[in-house]
Amino acid sequence: MGITPVHFFSHGSTRMLEADTESGAYWAKCGKEALAHNVKGIIIMGAHWACLGDRIEVATNPTPGKSFCPFSSPALYKDWKPNPDLATAERCISMLKAEGFCAGPNPNFTWIHDVFMVLIRMFPDDTKCPPVTIVSMNARYDPWYHVKVGATLRPLRKEGYLLIGTGGAVHNLYRNAWTDMLLYRESLGQERPPEAWALEFRQATEDVVTRNRGPALRKAMVRLMQHPAYREAQATDDHWMPALFAAGAAGDFEDEAESNVLAAETWELINMANSQFTFGQYKDDMEKTFAERQETDKLPQLGFVTAAA
């Protein structure tokens, strides 16, 4: 299979579990691709679990429950059974400790909707969901700390693990329009355009992801925290750290040969941009793309023919 891609998914509101969206369809597509390529497991960092001090934790609960998922029908998630990967969790802890992190297990962690609603969309049949390892953030929200977490776990991509960060490209709950959500459980009605700061940071994020590769990607993703619209787009840093985790996992010199894409997007609550990014691709897909490009290059080119005088 070669090295796996990396995903940064903007999980959006809890309505993304129930509503039919382009983003949800893309999560499902990524799940099918993961199964088709027999991924060994999933290593994921969400936006709703952060540890204090200098600590980072990895979930080791053998029978985790799931948190309440408001504004979505419980029937969509209550019977979906998590598939924790305790062996890989311990391995991740060892890898992080070897790189100087104050890392340890959390045997009591309950899965939160930022993780499980994405996985449910990817693998609606829980019996087919690969084993999952959940890594926490650190509540100091140091950008390079989270880049290094992704970089530390990057070697697992070569063993068939799929690394995912789930947060938000533009995620400021204080600037969203909540009336339709509260009254009608509706988040997708865009009765007016997003505000300028949301559009500006959303575009800056796409530009950074699609125009940078390798170590340049890591630097550019961190620099986005200095963007003039960053604090309006990210009221708190928690939903941006998973993007930096993904950049760390996809930002090695070896990744300079890979392309990064904005694959899908869903706007919610007027000002929340749920952008879905993928860094790299499965090796056989890359070879297929190269072969298709070669075939395209063989096609006759259209143009004007000038007769000799």
Side-chain angles (χ1 to χ4, degrees):
M1 177 173 62
I3 195 165
T4 57
V6 176
H7 300 302
F8 170 55
F9 293 147
S10 298
H11 61 76
S13 80
T14 53
R15 287 294 302 160
M16 293 289 286
L17 177 59
E18 186 165 338
D20 291 327
T21 64
E22 182 181 351
S23 293
Y26 185 66
W27 297 342
K29 177 177 181 291
C30 292
K32 291 177 181 177
E33 289 177 346
L35 294 177
H37 290 87
N38 297 310
V39 300
K40 189 173 182 179
I42 292 173
I43 299 170
I44 188 167
M45 176 183 285
H48 294 175
W49 179 27
C51 295
L52 301 177
D54 62 350
R55 188 168 175 79
I56 188 172
E57 294 181 345
V58 181
T60 57
N61 188 339
T63 55
K66 299 188 299 297
S67 66
F68 177 57
C69 189
F71 301 108
S72 286
S73 171
L76 296 173
Y77 65 90
K78 66 181 182 67
D79 294 328
W80 190 89
K81 187 176 180 180
N83 183 16
D85 188 346
L86 303 189
T88 302
E90 293 295 340
R91 188 174 174 202
C92 288
I93 293 170
S94 296
M95 293 174 71
L96 291 165
K97 283 184 174 180
E99 287 298 317
F101 288 97
C102 179
N106 186 322
N108 302 309
F109 182 72
T110 295
W111 286 26
I112 306 173
H113 68 263
D114 57 333
V115 167
F116 71 70
M117 72 179 191
V118 171
L119 293 175
I120 289 173
R121 279 288 191 172
M122 293 179 73
F123 311 104
D125 181 351
D126 57 13
T127 64
K128 294 182 179 180
C129 181
V132 176
T133 303
I134 304 177
V135 181
S136 81
M137 297 176 293
N138 176 266
R140 289 174 176 168
Y141 302 123
D142 179 337
W144 287 111
Y145 179 105
H146 292 84
V147 167
K148 186 178 178 182
V149 173
T152 299
L153 301 180
R154 180 186 181 277
L156 295 174
R157 294 175 58 198
K158 296 183 178 181
E159 300 180 20
Y161 287 90
L162 183 65
L163 273 62
I164 301 174
T166 166
V170 177
H171 195 98
N172 184 340
L173 301 186
Y174 304 102
R175 294 294 187 94
N176 289 341
W178 290 98
T179 301
D180 287 352
M181 182 77 137
L182 296 174
L183 292 179
Y184 312 115
R185 289 165 54 107
E186 168 58 56
S187 66
L188 300 175
Q190 296 290 109
E191 60 187 21
R192 64 180 186 274
E195 295 179 44
W197 54 266
L199 293 167
E200 183 178 353
F201 192 77
R202 175 260 173 228
Q203 186 60 54
T205 302
E206 179 185 1
D207 291 345
V208 160
V209 171
T210 59
R211 297 180 184 181
N212 292 277
R213 302 182 185 185
L217 172 69
R218 294 173 177 171
K219 294 177 182 178
M221 291 290 279
V222 170
R223 278 200 307 272
L224 277 173
M225 294 183 71
Q226 298 175 325
H227 190 283
Y230 173 78
R231 189 47 71 202
E232 290 181 290
Q234 302 284 341
T236 54
D237 295 322
D238 46 10
H239 280 70
W240 190 246
M241 294 303 106
L244 300 180
F245 167 76
D252 192 80
F253 284 105
E254 190 177 3
D255 296 308
E256 289 182 331
E258 305 285 341
S259 59
N260 308 319
V261 299
L262 170 61
E265 188 168 73
T266 304
W267 283 88
E268 287 189 288
L269 305 169
I270 304 298
N271 288 323
M272 187 157 65
N274 301 333
S275 306
Q276 316 304 327
F277 294 101
T278 294
F279 307 81
Q281 57 187 318
Y282 295 99
K283 184 178 179 182
D284 56 343
D285 292 340
M286 184 168 58
E287 291 174 346
K288 179 180 178 182
T289 300
F290 179 72
E292 290 173 345
R293 189 183 306 120
Q294 285 185 315
E295 289 299 316
T296 301
D297 292 342
K298 293 178 183 177
L299 296 176
Q301 302 299 308
L302 299 179
F304 295 103
V305 177
T306 304

